[in-house]
């Protein structure tokens, strides 16, 4: 079930702790009724390492992709999100030493070139391996239709997408600057 507020949305899913490893959980899939294993702590550690290896440019880039997905995924489609989208981005990163715009565009181009001919044109989904060191053989794209993934890849190179992502980047920078200034205010002195 989705819980929403003003431009904030969270997915609420059933979770069961693994009996043998308290770091692992099983999450329920509403559509299939099946349970999948997940490792939130392992995912966070992996994401932090990828971010560090890319001069702290990975996480902001992922936020841009997640924002675009949230506002542009048609209601009748299921584009990758969460750790699945993070892993797709990480597997296709451009050169982080470029400007944010060029890093973003290079990553989008890598995603398209790595998936379009080999998978989309062949009517198949790639296997996106779970980055957790504790989980083997977990395809993060399992449960996503070939059609939905293909639509995402076809949408990626569009000029509209590039403009939207770059506009979000500007808004994100403004927001981060504003929050940092706001957090420095000592309200107790007021």
């Amino acid at each position: 079930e989705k819980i929403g507020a003003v431009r904030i949305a969270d997915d609420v899913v059933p979770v069961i702790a693994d009996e043998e490893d308290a770091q692992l959980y099983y999450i329920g899939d509403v559509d299939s009724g099946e349970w999948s294993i997940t490792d939130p702590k392992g995912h966070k550690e992996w994401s932090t390492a990828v971010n560090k290896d890319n001069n702290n440019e990975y996480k902001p880039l992922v936020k841009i992709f997640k924002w675009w997905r949230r506002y542009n995924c048609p209601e009748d489609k299921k584009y990758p999100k969460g750790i699945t989208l993070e892993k797709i981005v990480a597997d296709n990163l451009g050169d982080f030493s470029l400007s944010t715009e060029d890093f973003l565009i290079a990553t989008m181009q890598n995603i398209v070139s790595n998936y379009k001919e080999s998978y989309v044109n062949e009517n198949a989904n790639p296997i996106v391996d779970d980055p957790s060191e504790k989980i083997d053989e977990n395809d993060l794209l399992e449960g996503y239709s070939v059609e939905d993934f293909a639509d995402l890849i076809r949408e990626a190179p569009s000029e509209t997408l590039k403009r939207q992502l770059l506009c979000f980047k500007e808004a994100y920078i403004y927001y981060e600057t504003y929050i940092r200034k706001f957090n420095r205010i000592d309200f107790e002195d007021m």
Side-chain angles (χ1 to χ4, degrees):
E1 181 177 335
K2 290 198 181 244
I3 298 175
V6 179
R7 297 203 179 227
I8 297 173
D10 284 322
D11 288 340
V12 178
V13 295
V15 175
I16 298 173
D18 185 84
E19 293 177 5
E20 296 175 17
D21 187 334
Q23 186 173 317
L24 301 177
Y25 297 91
Y26 289 89
I27 57 172
D29 184 316
V30 176
D31 297 327
S32 72
E34 306 221 351
W35 293 86
S36 301
I37 195 161
T38 187
D39 179 8
K41 185 176 180 185
H43 294 159
K44 183 178 179 183
E45 290 168 355
W46 166 82
S47 179
T48 299
V50 172
N51 193 50
K52 184 178 177 185
D53 291 346
N54 287 279
N55 199 34
N56 296 321
E57 297 292 336
Y58 166 72
K59 286 187 178 183
L61 185 69
V62 166
K63 287 180 182 182
I64 292 170
F65 274 93
K66 286 183 175 183
W67 170 86
W68 178 85
R69 184 223 170 271
R70 179 179 299 141
Y71 289 97
N72 291 280
C73 181
E75 287 189 27
D76 63 332
K77 298 289 178 188
K78 182 179 173 186
Y79 288 173
K81 63 181 183 176
I83 188 64
T84 307
L85 182 58
E86 291 177 34
K87 185 66 164 60
I88 289 169
V89 171
D91 287 348
N92 294 282
L93 285 173
D95 180 353
F96 69 81
S97 68
L98 300 171
S99 69
T100 302
E101 294 84 356
D102 290 337
F103 183 39
L104 170 67
I105 291 167
T107 301
M108 287 190 309
Q109 289 170 336
N110 290 345
I111 290 170
V112 172
S113 67
N114 288 331
Y115 297 130
K116 190 170 184 182
E117 280 188 36
S118 300
Y119 298 100
V120 173
N121 291 350
E122 298 298 321
N123 201 30
N125 275 351
I127 293 174
V128 177
D129 291 322
D130 194 311
S132 169
E133 293 179 7
K134 293 186 169 200
I135 300 174
D136 292 326
E137 300 181 24
N138 183 27
D139 179 8
L140 296 174
L141 265 182
E142 188 177 333
Y144 288 93
S145 75
V146 171
E147 180 183 311
D148 288 353
F149 184 74
D151 285 348
L152 171 70
I153 299 305
R154 286 187 201 105
E155 184 66 24
S158 77
E159 289 303 314
T160 301
L161 170 62
K162 290 176 190 174
R163 282 194 302 277
Q164 288 175 331
L165 291 173
L166 295 176
C167 286
F168 175 72
K169 182 207 110 186
E170 294 301 320
Y172 176 76
I173 290 170
Y174 176 79
Y175 169 79
E176 287 289 308
T177 303
Y178 175 76
I179 291 300
R180 284 190 191 113
K181 287 180 182 176
F182 183 79
N183 286 338
R184 283 186 265 170
I185 297 173
D186 186 356
F187 290 99
E188 291 181 14
D189 289 342
M190 298 181 121

